[in-house]
Amino acid sequence: MRITSKGPADTLALGEILGRLARPGDVYCLLGELGVGKTALAQGIGRGLGIEEPVSSPTFTLIHEYQGRMPFYHMDLYRMAAPEEGEELGLQEYFWGQGLSVVEWPQVAAELLPEDILQVQMAFEGEARVIELVPHGPRSQQIVEEVTRLVDSEH
Amino acid sequence: MKRNLILAIETSCDETAAAVIENGQRIRSNIVSSQITVHQKFGGVVPEIASRHHLENLPWVVDQALEQAEVSFAELDAVAVTYGPGLVGALLVGVAGAKAMAAAQGIPLIGVNHIEGHIYANFLAHPALGFPLLCLLVSGGHTHLVALEGHGKYRVLGRTRDDAAGEAFDKVARAMGLGYPGGPKIQAAAANGEGAGIELPRAWLEPGSLDFSFSGLKSAALNYLNRAAQKGEEVNKSDLAAGFQQAVVDVLVGKTLAAAKQSGAGTVLLAGGVAANQALRRELGEACRQEGLDLYYPPVELCTDNAAMIGCAAYYKFLAGEFAGPDLNAVPGMSLA
């Protein structure tokens, strides 16, 4: 499904829905250029998980861990050069763990990711953003269906 | 007074570091397995970051620290280690190593918060600092305003809600094709800029807030570059760098002064990698002078991640008898109490 976000508030709201729908072991991969709003979406997800502290960018520190209604692992793999580094970081322990993993710049760790991820593709469209949710398995398909239902009912 | 020697270990992110600190102020050694040359080899981006490197580096970094300090394990009074915030795998290497060394020598183990360590870099250079203090910590991973009422007594007055200040420097430098690390590159480019450079927005947030937000500024700089590229116009990088740096510095200085006023501190401390920025030092220095505040900052080599600052923070915990048990664990999401 495709959603147009007119600004950070829309992106936060979509994130909040994605946070509310998350279950332990879900993995969301956020793709899109610098400044497109990946961190804003992650902040909304944090809100949807009931996390009150600010969800700040993990670019430098790679992984931030929070405790909401379940653990939230917010990762930014931009600084990772090779998949082996991801193994050493223990990425799979997060992906298969008891929380929600949200991965910015996931490409380098593609081979470590579970199959059934929810891909969130973000792109610029003038001042707005186009956000596309692409499921990769039955669980992520279910999330997309629920998002569609919730977004439709809000309009 | 008996000589106190602490071996400190820091492995929270990219650097494997070890230091020996005497009486909380004399740096007997300070070894950082800096990977910055490796980073540069890869063309600007920062790869090679993993706990495996900490595991490989820790033994020789510790050996080197002891050797340079001319201190043996048997002479140490305590082993200190960063146990958060940071990467769990990276932190665990340091924590496990420190525990083993402390247990083998039968000496106390001291756990230190990484953010606290950055603040204490100031006590290495200026041990006589009097409380209350206000510290602006600005680095690649952190942007915090912290009030210190005494040793180990912190109140976080403000922090970034999105990007850290140093990270904004890195990302904008990357988009401008200036390379890594972004702080020094932007500073160098800005030095050639005209006056205050290109005007970019400053995020002051809601009135009275001491929090920071740098993602809007980052986006504004990126938009400026994108619009110019679409129109086929050449960007004056020096002016953009100057305008960006000025916007960051204005907000950091403004909020730091407001925080000093609010906390009643008469002395302001700078800490973290961005504390090396000359424009920030100059303008914060000028603003503090006008307000009758003293400003201190550590030498550049103690601003970036190192173990000497951890050893200094640990010394004050040693004096207070704040020791960690053998069950000390890494706390990746640790905040400053």
Side-chain angles (χ1 to χ4, degrees), chain B residues 232-307:
Chain B
E233 288 171 5
E234 187 94 3
V235 170
N236 184 324
K237 289 187 180 176
S238 298
D239 286 353
L240 183 58
F244 170 78
Q245 180 171 272
Q246 193 61 48
V248 175
V249 168
D250 280 354
V251 174
L252 291 176
V253 171
K255 298 234 173 197
T256 303
L257 288 192
K261 211 164 273 176
Q262 189 183 312
S263 66
T267 302
V268 173
L269 310 176
L270 251 182
V274 182
N277 182 278
Q278 296 297 328
L280 177 60
R281 287 187 175 201
R282 189 176 58 239
E283 299 206 11
L284 189 56
E286 184 53 43
C288 284
R289 222 175 354 265
Q290 282 176 15
E291 296 290 325
L293 300 164
D294 292 320
L295 173 67
Y296 291 92
Y297 37 80
V300 174
E301 68 274 17
L302 296 178
C303 287
T304 47
D305 286 359
N306 66 84

